[in-house]
Amino acid sequence: MQLDGKVALVTGASAGIGAAVAERLAAAGARVVVHGRDAERSGQVAARVDGVPILGDLAMPGVAAEVADAALAVHGRIDVLVANAGLGWSGPFVQMRAEEIDHLVALDLLAPLQLVRCLLPSMVERGSGHVALVGSIAGRTAVAGEAVYAATKAALDIFAESLRLEIRGSGVSVSLTVPGVVDTGFFSARGRPYDRERPRPVPAGDVARALVDGITNDRAEIWIPRWLRVAPAVRALAPGLYRRLSARFGEQVMPR
């Protein structure tokens, strides 16, 4: 897909990966609709990319549809959806409150599905578009202390694959970006900072570059860094060894 002149909606674009994606899309000539919850930060990103800010808490019922409608109203269409907004939670699953589970599932899984439901039909009707979903290595390998987050990303992974098969030949493509540790505010927001020496966090700009490259080159999966592919391969080919290593070394490569 050539991005020049295309209209893109990026969720969770007020900071981190989303902000970096918005900037890279704008640099490629796209007109960007910047979604976020924080009015000041979203407005700042929108100003940098000459875009339009849209506010909304995607974890709340019905807000995904409202955000989709507001985005469509800006330029009359959305050619690219980057479903990036997400949140983590760190700690033992038995200590997680019911409302925390609901909030995480609503934001990390249900919101992307609802956005796609709202925006995909018009893409298919035009015979052109791209849905870019942001997953996590946690959805492929599992992470101790991140059970619900990992479950939402695993579900998003299968949704991407299923949707790709369903709309094959429609002119609309689907990509899933699978990042590992990314240098953003994600870890402090989840309640525990990233404190491992390795793997080192990659800059959000590197993830944005890979994600946008995946859109323009119609890549189904984008891994950043690429060596992360080894972990799920070991899990699939030697599950016993993988679990022994997981138990020995503890927490796996952390989600973004």
Side-chain angles (χ1 to χ4, degrees):
M1 172 182 284
Q2 295 299 315
L3 290 170
D4 189 29
K6 300 297 185 183
V7 181
L9 167 63
V10 183
T11 67
S14 62
I17 294 173
V21 169
E23 291 170 355
R24 185 152 291 270
L25 287 169
R31 292 178 288 176
V32 184
V33 180
V34 177
H35 161 267
R37 290 186 303 165
D38 185 284
E40 182 177 358
R41 292 193 304 170
S42 300
Q44 290 172 349
V45 175
R48 290 203 303 270
V49 303
D50 194 23
V52 177
I54 289 179
L55 303 180
D57 185 352
L58 291 173
M60 300 300 293
V63 173
E66 294 173 2
V67 167
D69 288 343
L72 285 169
V74 174
H75 295 293
R77 71 180 196 277
I78 294 295
D79 301 301
V80 177
L81 166 65
V82 181
N84 165 77
L87 181 70
W89 190 95
S90 179
F93 175 70
V94 294
Q95 294 179 9
M96 202 171 186
R97 299 194 305 271
E99 57 268 28
E100 290 173 325
I101 295 174
D102 292 345
H103 185 267
L104 207 66
V105 172
L107 180 59
D108 292 355
L109 178 60
L110 298 182
L113 268 60
Q114 292 292 359
L115 286 166
V116 173
R117 180 189 66 83
C118 293
L119 298 174
L120 180 63
S122 59
M123 293 184 189
V124 172
E125 184 177 352
R126 292 193 306 273
S128 175
H130 188 97
V131 174
L133 303 172
V134 179
S136 169
I137 185 61
R140 291 288 180 94
T141 62
V143 179
E146 295 275 356
V148 176
Y149 176 81
T152 63
K153 293 302 184 179
L156 202 61
D157 190 327
I158 293 301
F159 172 70
E161 192 67 32
S162 300
L163 185 65
R164 191 177 298 114
L165 292 170
E166 185 174 318
I167 62 175
R168 183 179 180 183
S170 68
V172 182
S173 53
V174 180
S175 66
L176 177 74
T177 299
V178 186
V181 186
V182 186
D183 187 10
T184 68
F186 174 87
F187 294 101
S188 57
R190 70 171 186 167
R192 182 165 60 88
Y194 181 75
D195 54 8
R196 299 183 62 177
E197 291 185 3
R198 294 184 179 179
R200 292 182 179 179
V202 299
D206 289 0
V207 180
R209 185 183 302 110
L211 186 152
V212 174
D213 181 72
I215 295 173
T216 57
N217 291 286
D218 193 20
R219 293 193 173 95
E221 287 187 358
I222 303 101
W223 292 74
I224 182 73
R226 292 181 180 179
W227 63 261
L228 284 179
R229 291 176 178 269
V230 173
V234 172
R235 183 185 180 211
L237 297 173
L241 173 62
Y242 176 84
R243 293 188 181 98
R244 289 194 296 272
L245 290 172
S246 295
R248 179 178 178 183
F249 294 107
E251 191 175 59
Q252 296 300 304
V253 175
M254 295 302 299
R256 67 193 176 101

